[in-house]
Amino acid sequence: MSESMMIVTTLEELWQALRLLERPLGLVPTMGYLHEGHISLARHAREECSSVAATIFVNPTQFGPNEDLARYPRNIEGDLKLLEAAGTDLVWMPTPEVMYPPRFQTWVTVETLTAPLEGAMRPGHFRGVTTVVSKLFNAIQPEKAYFGQKDAQQAAVLRQMARDLSYPTEIVICPTVRDADGLAMSSRNSYLNPEERQAATVLFRALTAAEFAYINGERDAETLRRRMRETIAAEPLARLQYVSCADYDTLVELETVTSKTLLSMAVFVGKTRLIDNFVLR
Ligand SMILES: Nc1ncnc2c1ncn2[C@@H]1O[C@H](COP(=O)(O)OP(=O)(O)OP(=O)(O)O)[C@@H](O)[C@H]1O
Ligand SMILES: [Mg+2]
């Protein structure tokens, strides 16, 4: 761990700073507006690695044309304070021009795993994610990279990408950090007004209802999906986009739960799109 946190923008500055850091290095990629979920990733990295690097980059290529890129929340000063307190050695904050120079035209795509769920609802999203994470891995060459289970499909897709492209980076997935009432922490929670914030617990309640049925012996996947749908339907401020009860490894929808399973959903609360998931073992 170095004396004070280094903050860099260009690739040249990044490479200079990296020379000063001991290996193994743990990377925490973020889009900023940091919360306790992000900081838990930095803490895991701090425990397991000699150096910790974080990136703050609101990646334009993972936003759809009708998504919230222009109004995505930002708080660089607050973010840097939190990262420093968590023991981060280096923060890379590239500009869009650094990340995507003129005539940029090279993309990384993961195929089958990106087809369902988030991939189906957000065309092009994972192409943006895998391309930017690939660029982060190439520029930093971290021994480990830390991601959150809240974005379950992203975790699966990045594990696949690392394996398929022979990245030496170990992908570490950390548990979802939740507020006291169960709402998964997310930068986009800041869009919610007080009534919507109350209603947003419906994702956790729906997942808990399905998990409860599972614990009580229910193995029919459609019944578990129905439990989730019914819970969402009972919340007037919530509008369901999808629910899923899928195989954990392939993300293919199940008829019967027999092995490790992912319950997941996307729900609009007002205009804010929230996702959450539980794993059934
Ligand atoms: N509640 C959480 N618990 C654990 N990890 C999280 C949590 N929220 C986000 N992360 C992880 O932090 C990393 C950076 O995510 P990102 O910056 O998109 O934050 P976010 O809160 O998911 O933002 P948004 O609300 O816009 O999706 C990802 O690996 C993501 O899975
Ligand atoms: Mg996110």
Side-chain angles (χ1 to χ4, degrees), residues 31 38 62 72 122 125 150-151 154 186-188 275:
M31 300 206 300
H38 298 110
Q62 71 187 66
Y72 196 81
R122 304 182 68 189
H125 170 67
K150 190 203 71 179
D151 298 276
Q154 170 175 280
S186 167
S187 303
R188 287 179 168 113
I275 60 171

Side-chain angles (χ1 to χ4, degrees), residues 25-38:
L25 181 146
L27 171 65
V28 180
T30 82
M31 300 206 300
Y33 210 77
L34 303 183
H35 49 66
E36 199 50 45
H38 298 110

Side-chain angles (χ1 to χ4, degrees), residues 245-260:
C245 175
D247 179 82
Y248 179 84
D249 293 310
T250 65
L251 305 181
V252 170
E253 288 304 314
L254 295 171
E255 280 184 28
T256 311
V257 176
T258 54
S259 57
K260 200 173 172 187

Side-chain angles (χ1 to χ4, degrees), residues 111-188:
E111 298 188 354
T112 313
L113 261 184
T114 62
L117 307 175
E118 291 297 288
M121 298 301 152
R122 304 182 68 189
H125 170 67
F126 284 119
R127 181 178 87 144
V129 170
T130 47
T131 299
V132 82
V133 171
S134 178
K135 288 169 65 67
L136 299 177
F137 284 9
N138 289 334
I140 297 172
Q141 304 191 320
E143 277 74 19
K144 296 189 175 203
Y146 295 80
F147 299 91
Q149 175 62 28
K150 190 203 71 179
D151 298 276
Q153 187 176 18
Q154 170 175 280
V157 166
L158 292 175
R159 253 194 252 106
Q160 190 70 44
M161 178 189 85
R163 197 179 325 136
D164 289 352
L165 295 183
S166 311
Y167 277 107
T169 302
E170 180 190 340
I171 308 287
V172 182
I173 306 304
C174 302
T176 301
V177 177
R178 299 176 180 282
D179 280 338
D181 62 5
L183 177 64
M185 289 191 183
S186 167
S187 303
R188 287 179 168 113

